Amino acid sequence: AQTVTQSQPEMSVQEAETVTLSCTYDTSESDYYLFWYKQPPSRQMILVIRQEAYKQQNATENRFSVNFQKAAKSFSLKISDSQLGDAAMYFCAYDDMRFGAGTRLTVKP
Amino acid sequence: ETGVTQTPRHLVMGMTNKKSLKCEQHLGHNAMYWYKQSAKKPLELMFVYSLEERVENNSVPSRFSPECPNSSHLFLHLHTLQPEDSALYLCASSQDRGTGNHEKLFFGSGTQLSVL
């Protein structure tokens, strides 16, 4: 069974600094997709970034980028130039079936 | 109205009540999902409908009964719930639900359910 682990229940970052959220997963598949979702206090989860496993290049979306290490089954999210609006719960997901328990990110002004 | 809309936003019910959660998507998607979100636990996929046919049912107790009358609407009928069923119930949609499950999900704001 595929499992997703987020080892950091809470993280904190200073505004304008960079923070990295960790995610590891377990799978026997070779082709799959990984996702990071953000859940602000409004509760509505939105997609931050998506990575296709067969692609070597790490996905980037503006200030958000991933460090995808397929052999290590690691999929971390880097947020650069952190903003107050980045404060939220962040969930790592394997396809649409397996989610991590989330990391609560606090951004300090 | 655009996106995925869930009603009600909050719901308190007794264990003997029957209630329904509603989800509506205005994105023209073909797949709809119910998830359960409990504090400090991973999101749990409950049901998936693709083109109005149920394609996933993850060992959910029969006291939860989904209904998908068309591709835009999804319901979750609740009866004889237990206090441990208290959680945030999230609805989501995606363009399709083909092989590989690689579509990105669009979520509603959820229904916060409390069972007394």
Side-chain angles (χ1 to χ4, degrees):
Chain A
Q2 294 88 359
T3 59
V4 178
T5 303
Q6 293 179 250
S7 59
Q8 307 152 316
E10 296 184 359
M11 289 285 284
S12 179
V13 64
Q14 204 72 33
E15 194 175 5
E17 297 295 310
T18 295
V19 64
T20 299
L21 308 184
S22 301
C23 174
T24 58
Y25 58 95
D26 183 33
T27 184
S28 58
E29 303 293 324
S30 60
D31 189 16
Y32 49 88
Y33 290 76
L34 297 164
F35 305 81
W36 277 100
Y37 287 92
K38 169 186 177 181
Q39 187 179 39
S42 67
R43 306 186 324 204
Q44 187 168 28
M45 253 191 264
I46 57 173
L47 178 71
V48 175
I49 202 164
R50 180 175 71 170
Q51 175 77 43
E52 300 170 78
Y54 66 86
K55 286 191 174 180
Q56 299 275 355
Q57 188 171 8
N58 289 325
T60 62
E61 287 288 342
N62 300 313
R63 298 182 295 106
F64 298 87
S65 61
V66 299
N67 183 3
F68 175 51
Q69 302 289 329
K70 190 173 184 180
K73 296 179 182 175
S74 171
F75 181 60
S76 60
L77 175 69
K78 185 171 83 171
I79 306 174
S80 304
D81 185 26
S82 296
Q83 301 176 0
L84 296 178
D86 295 334
M89 285 289 292
Y90 286 81
F91 293 91
C92 177
Y94 178 104
D95 295 345
D96 59 14
M97 299 187 70
R98 298 289 184 267
F99 284 71
T103 296
R104 181 174 300 282
L105 178 66
T106 302
V107 181
K108 297 179 180 178
Chain B
E1 193 170 354
T2 59
V4 181
T5 304
Q6 288 187 245
T7 55
R9 188 167 173 81
H10 297 93
L11 179 63
V12 179
M13 59 187 290
M15 289 190 286
T16 59
N17 292 158
K18 289 184 180 180
K19 296 287 185 182
S20 295
L21 310 184
K22 179 183 176 182
C23 177
E24 185 174 1
Q25 58 97 359
H26 307 271
L27 301 168
H29 289 168
N30 294 318
M32 296 189 77
Y33 308 69
W34 280 116
Y35 289 90
K36 177 183 179 182
Q37 184 178 13
S38 303
K40 299 184 179 180
K41 291 177 67 177
L43 215 62
E44 299 173 50
L45 177 64
M46 300 175 72
F47 303 103
V48 182
Y49 278 82
S50 177
L51 297 171
E52 300 146 45
E53 178 183 347
R54 192 188 310 177
V55 295
E56 291 284 351
N57 180 347
N58 281 353
S59 302
V60 179
S62 59
R63 56 186 183 269
F64 295 91
S65 175
E67 179 189 2
C68 186
N70 54 61
S71 59
S72 298
H73 294 85
L74 184 65
F75 295 89
L76 188 62
H77 303 300
L78 317 171
H79 65 94
T80 324
L81 293 192
Q82 304 299 309
E84 59 265 29
D85 297 323
S86 298
L88 180 67
Y89 288 85
L90 291 167
C91 174
S93 70
S94 66
Q95 183 60 58
D96 293 293
R97 217 281 183 142
T99 56
N101 307 340
H102 61 272
E103 299 282 346
K104 70 177 184 179
L105 298 168
F106 293 77
F107 286 86
S109 298
T111 295
Q112 185 66 54
L113 174 66
S114 298
V115 181
L116 304 178

